[in-house]
Amino acid sequence: MEAEGIDVDEYVFYPDGDETTTKFEEKNETSQTVTSTDLNMILAAISAQTATMSSQLEEQKTYMSSQMESQETRITSKMEKQLESQENRITAKIESQEARISEMSSEITSKIEAQEARISEMSTQISAQVSSQISAPLESRMEEKLTQFQEGFSGRQDKMEAEIDALKDRIQEFQLNRPITSTSTLKVKSPTFDGSVPFQVFKLQF
């Protein structure tokens, strides 16, 4: 009985043989009482642990949120500073480039004006030289050309007069030596003026 965990001093013996039933009933009641107590304790412990974990999770959530907000604020501030610094550097570079472009434009403008002045001066000098070279010999050359033209025209005029005289002689000779023919049967093909002879000669031939 001691090996089975039964207290001998508190055990009640029943002579009619019901001691076995009583023993098992007491044992079951004790076991049920112990089990119910253990379950309540376990549930209480679980509830306490759950509450503790919920509180810890909430604290962790709050801490993480505050850390994230702080980190986000730091990152945003750092990025804003970097962007502002970069913007300032870019603005300074653009202003420097604009100043250099303005300076180069001024230099180019001054060079262009100097070149235009030199070109104008050279043009004036060339015009003066050409005028001095042309104005004096021009009249003499024109007179020379006019003289040559007049001489050539006189020569051509003498030649034309000689040809006209020759044609007149040929016409007179033809008129004197022509046979007597009837005007009704005479057919002469008129010559064609091709410009090879003067018109006056062609007129006499016609």
Side-chain angles (χ1 to χ4, degrees), residues 167-182:
L167 287 171
K168 284 181 180 180
D169 293 339
R170 288 181 62 189
I171 290 169
Q172 289 177 1
E173 184 180 356
F174 177 76
Q175 289 177 351
L176 291 174
N177 297 327
R178 67 180 179 178
I180 299 173
T181 57
S182 176

Side-chain angles (χ1 to χ4, degrees), residues 6 33 36 64 78 83 110 116 125 131 137 175 188 198 205:
I6 300 173
T33 303
S36 177
M64 291 295 293
K78 185 176 180 180
L83 288 173
S110 61
E116 289 179 351
Q125 292 177 358
S131 298
Q175 289 177 351
V188 180
Q205 290 178 351

